[in-house]
Amino acid sequence: MKLYIAKSAGFCFGVNRAVDIAVKATQKYKKDLYTLGPIIHNPQTVDFLKGLGIKVKGRIEDIKTGTVIFRSHGVSLEELIKAKKKRLRLIDATCPIVKRAQLFAKYLNKHGYFLLIVGDSKHPEVRAIKSYINDNVKVIENIKGLRNLGPWKKLGIVAQTTQSMSLFKEVINKCLEKAEEIRIFNTICHATSLRQKEAIKIAKKTDCMIVIGGYNSGNTQRLVAICREIQPKTYHIESANDLDERWLKGCNKIGITAGASTPSWVINEVATEIRKMRGKDI
């Protein structure tokens, strides 16, 4: 039996940066320290930061005083205005790649392009990007979302940074039929593309795929969907405790990948538990 572990699995640059910012904040500010929503979509990391004194609040209204850390996914314009009005101390842990997507979206809007955002409309990153644009914007979650849209004279397209490249391309190709002029910024993070390509490669040569990451993690969910198209025996877990030994029965080649918010120690625990379940050295 062989275990394949994706080399790219684990914290991406933006997640590592956000966690580092949060840890340093606990060393500087000893009380009234909050994140607006979970700083990243990983419960183990959120619990770790909670142990250091960082509380998670879902709304600015729930924070009376102190320091608020804006999560890696970014903050909406409305939330930013509310935080400034309350005179809270602000620490911005927004991923620079997410910030880049926001800037491109603003640029397209400013120059008269109708903006399409390819992504999950409920995801905090997408909600934040959309909040900085006027009504001339639409979020597309799948190709069906284009059915009743257009035509456009000027169309701009960006993507959620953790979006599937295949969907992004599919939307672009369809829009070529609907717009006279199209301006596209590829805002998908390189780390996301790398993870997806590596996951496809591993899924093609394994009997079972284990994808590790928060159940609310968009990039992890996309890894699951991509792997499952190739290998139906693909399972999404948050930690080693979620493993089911029955999944591994009869599997001689097992693949492991993980979302960009999954700590390396969680990946190592899953690999160790798989070895124990099989009772063999891999």
Side-chain angles (χ1 to χ4, degrees), residues 6 8-10 162-166 190-203 209-214 217-231 233-237 255-262 267:
S8 62
T162 56
Q163 189 50 253
S164 161
M165 181 60 75
S166 61
H190 173 70
T192 295
S193 298
L194 179 63
R195 277 175 173 78
Q196 291 174 359
K197 289 176 182 177
E198 193 173 12
I200 290 170
K201 186 176 179 180
I202 294 175
M209 280 294 295
I210 304 297
V211 183
I212 314 164
S217 166
N219 76 87
T220 304
Q221 291 170 1
R222 269 178 282 283
L223 283 175
V224 172
I226 288 168
C227 290
R228 196 165 280 158
E229 284 184 5
I230 300 165
Q231 174 49 262
K233 292 184 69 174
T234 293
Y235 304 98
H236 181 184
I237 65 172
I256 295 177
T257 188
S261 301
T262 307
I267 299 170

Side-chain angles (χ1 to χ4, degrees), residues 241-271:
N241 293 331
D242 300 326
L243 280 169
D244 189 329
E245 193 169 358
R246 291 173 295 181
W247 300 343
L248 311 179
K249 189 176 180 180
C251 296
N252 296 316
K253 296 179 180 179
I254 300 169
I256 295 177
T257 188
S261 301
T262 307
S264 57
W265 63 266
V266 173
I267 299 170
N268 293 335
E269 280 189 353
V270 170

Side-chain angles (χ1 to χ4, degrees), residues 36 70-76 79 92-95 98 102 124-125 128:
L36 185 61
F70 292 149
R71 56 190 166 191
S72 59
H73 303 110
V75 61
S76 72
E79 290 167 329
D92 192 357
T94 303
C95 172
V98 173
Q102 291 177 355
E125 177 191 326

Side-chain angles (χ1 to χ4, degrees), residues 180-191:
E180 293 180 27
E181 177 188 341
I182 300 180
R183 189 77 187 271
I184 302 161
F185 286 106
N186 179 7
T187 51
I188 296 177
C189 173
H190 173 70

Side-chain angles (χ1 to χ4, degrees), residues 92-236:
D92 192 357
T94 303
C95 172
I97 298 171
V98 173
K99 284 267 194 181
R100 176 175 169 268
Q102 291 177 355
L103 290 172
F104 282 143
K106 291 177 188 178
Y107 172 87
L108 290 167
N109 179 251
K110 180 180 178 181
H111 288 81
Y113 291 85
F114 184 93
L115 181 66
L116 287 185
I117 305 171
V118 182
D120 178 359
S121 61
K122 296 179 181 180
H123 195 280
E125 177 191 326
V126 174
R127 292 203 305 265
I129 293 172
K130 187 180 177 184
S131 73
Y132 292 92
I133 310 302
N134 60 25
D135 294 334
N136 217 23
V137 58
K138 185 73 176 178
V139 178
I140 298 296
E141 296 188 353
N142 52 57
I143 200 69
K144 293 179 181 178
L146 286 171
R147 189 172 294 162
N148 298 318
L149 296 179
W152 301 280
K153 188 169 184 178
K154 295 177 68 175
L155 177 65
I157 308 176
V158 298
Q160 182 179 344
T161 60
T162 56
Q163 189 50 253
S164 161
M165 181 60 75
S166 61
L167 175 60
F168 191 46
K169 289 179 179 178
E170 192 177 4
V171 169
I172 291 168
N173 288 334
K174 188 64 178 176
C175 286
L176 292 173
E177 305 169 6
K178 292 173 169 276
E180 293 180 27
E181 177 188 341
I182 300 180
R183 189 77 187 271
I184 302 161
F185 286 106
N186 179 7
T187 51
I188 296 177
C189 173
H190 173 70
T192 295
S193 298
L194 179 63
R195 277 175 173 78
Q196 291 174 359
K197 289 176 182 177
E198 193 173 12
I200 290 170
K201 186 176 179 180
I202 294 175
K204 286 179 177 178
K205 60 184 178 183
T206 54
D207 306 313
C208 172
M209 280 294 295
I210 304 297
V211 183
I212 314 164
Y215 292 128
N216 59 343
S217 166
N219 76 87
T220 304
Q221 291 170 1
R222 269 178 282 283
L223 283 175
V224 172
I226 288 168
C227 290
R228 196 165 280 158
E229 284 184 5
I230 300 165
Q231 174 49 262
K233 292 184 69 174
T234 293
Y235 304 98
H236 181 184

